[in-house]
Amino acid sequence: MESKQAMRQIILDRLTKLPLEERERMTRDLFDQVMSLIRANRYHSIALYYGQVPEIETSILCEDLLKQSIQVLLPRIEPHRQMTFRQYEGKQSLERTSFGVYQPKEQAEIVDNSQIDLMIVPGLAFQPDGTRLGFGGGYYDRYLEHYPNTQTCSLAFPQQLFDLGTWGKDSYDICIHEIVSYKETR
């Protein structure tokens, strides 16, 4: 069993080495799958993250959702290691943090969790039971601990999928309901 920190480095190395063409092909497939999930469930309000390489880049998904009149909510880091979800209204409504992450500006409207139909949770690695390895800040685990009925999914490239027990699960780790992973077609 690998330590979580060792796993993070392994995954970041894998993701960094992904060829651009392969990354774009897999990202398009993931976005098609998640859009089908959203349409099938008639979701109107989606909380997600503004991912950048080496993560799955979600800026195009954010814009596509807006074009379909779906409410897009992005996380904003708050004091005391907390997080709120705020209205996204295009890249101009974001600011870059000292960590290089984009988040809604402070004046963006905070949206109550009860308004979220689906939360797309970021992660570096996933196990079949929904165990997620994030970046180590614990923001999503702390947030979801208070909202256990929030419907969640995560997007994953094959390089991010691991067998059960690859790393340990802690008592505070919150599992994801569904992992949307790249499906190679021939």
Side-chain angles (χ1 to χ4, degrees), residues 53-150:
V53 172
E55 289 179 290
I56 295 172
E57 293 179 273
T58 58
S59 59
I60 293 170
L61 180 59
C62 290
E63 296 304 321
D64 286 351
L65 291 168
L66 281 181
K67 287 177 188 170
Q68 304 218 8
S69 299
I70 294 172
Q71 183 180 38
V72 176
L73 310 171
L74 297 180
R76 179 174 174 84
I77 303 307
E78 304 293 351
H80 311 293
R81 298 179 63 83
Q82 297 301 306
M83 183 171 69
T84 56
F85 280 88
R86 297 179 183 237
Q87 186 76 37
Y88 171 73
E89 295 175 357
K91 189 165 182 182
Q92 76 283 355
S93 68
L94 302 178
E95 63 186 15
R96 195 171 191 147
T97 70
S98 59
F99 296 107
V101 175
Y102 286 98
Q103 68 178 9
K105 293 177 182 172
E106 190 171 2
Q107 64 267 29
E109 177 188 350
I110 296 175
V111 178
D112 186 74
N113 180 270
S114 65
Q115 301 296 308
I116 297 173
D117 293 327
L118 175 68
M119 182 179 294
I120 301 174
V121 180
L124 287 173
F126 306 92
Q127 296 180 136
D129 66 347
T131 300
R132 176 185 75 91
L133 182 64
F135 285 88
Y139 288 96
Y140 281 85
D141 291 323
R142 279 191 298 280
Y143 186 89
L144 290 169
E145 176 183 31
H146 298 290
Y147 304 104
N149 295 323
T150 301

Side-chain angles (χ1 to χ4, degrees), residues 39-52:
R39 281 192 295 274
N41 289 285
R42 297 188 173 108
Y43 292 143
H44 299 287
S45 181
I46 308 300
L48 69 158
Y49 58 100
Y50 204 83
Q52 306 169 80

Side-chain angles (χ1 to χ4, degrees), residues 2-72:
E2 293 281 351
S3 74
K4 287 183 174 184
Q5 194 53 43
M7 284 301 302
R8 285 184 185 100
Q9 194 54 56
I10 290 167
I11 301 309
L12 286 170
D13 288 345
R14 284 184 181 185
L15 294 176
T16 301
K17 291 175 183 171
L18 264 178
L20 180 62
E21 184 179 296
E22 184 178 355
R23 173 182 283 281
E24 289 175 347
R25 183 181 73 251
M26 291 190 296
T27 299
R28 279 192 304 274
D29 174 76
L30 292 174
F31 290 176
D32 287 347
Q33 287 185 65
V34 83
M35 290 302 286
S36 292
L37 175 71
I38 290 167
R39 281 192 295 274
N41 289 285
R42 297 188 173 108
Y43 292 143
H44 299 287
S45 181
I46 308 300
L48 69 158
Y49 58 100
Y50 204 83
Q52 306 169 80
V53 172
E55 289 179 290
I56 295 172
E57 293 179 273
T58 58
S59 59
I60 293 170
L61 180 59
C62 290
E63 296 304 321
D64 286 351
L65 291 168
L66 281 181
K67 287 177 188 170
Q68 304 218 8
S69 299
I70 294 172
Q71 183 180 38
V72 176

